[in-house]
Amino acid sequence: MSILTIALDTLNNPNNPDHIQGRADAYDAIHDGHPLDALEARLEWMDDPRFGGTTYSAAYLSGYRAQITDWRAYDYARRVAITHNAWEAAR
C-alpha cells in the first residue's frame, strides 16, 4: 500500500465530520436542481486556493467529490437500464 492510498483512505473516512458535511452539501445542491457539471465546476473552485476567502479541508472536498462520483454512477446506471429496457421491449 502506498502512502497515497493511505492518505485517500484517511480522507474518505465516512465518520469524519468534514467528509460527511461535504457529501451533505453536494447532496443538497443536487436535490436543489443544480446540474452535476455545475457541482464539478464548484469543486474545482473550492479546491483552488487562489479563489474565495474560504479554505475547505481535504476531507470536505473528498466528501463533496465522492457524492458527485456516486451521482455520476447512478445517472450512468439509470441510462443503461433505460436503454436496456427499450432494447428488450423492441425485441
Side-chain angles (χ1 to χ4, degrees):
M1 182 181 283
S2 69
I3 292 173
L4 179 60
T5 305
I6 292 170
L8 288 176
D9 288 346
T10 302
L11 294 176
N12 239 356
N13 180 0
N15 297 321
N16 184 323
D18 286 343
H19 182 84
I20 294 166
Q21 186 63 47
R23 283 189 82 94
D25 288 348
Y27 179 88
D28 289 344
I30 290 166
H31 283 281
D32 287 343
H34 297 266
L36 292 177
D37 292 337
L39 268 66
E40 287 176 343
R42 190 176 302 153
L43 178 63
E44 287 180 27
W45 170 82
M46 289 189 292
D47 201 19
D48 192 338
R50 298 175 299 158
F51 300 108
T54 306
T55 304
Y56 296 93
S57 71
Y60 178 90
L61 295 173
S62 173
Y64 201 92
R65 185 176 296 110
Q67 189 66 31
I68 293 170
T69 302
D70 288 351
W71 275 92
R72 285 265 182 224
Y74 169 78
D75 282 349
Y76 176 76
R78 186 178 51 80
R79 284 193 314 269
V80 167
I82 291 169
T83 303
H84 177 74
N85 291 343
W87 175 79
E88 282 285 334
R91 285 190 343 163

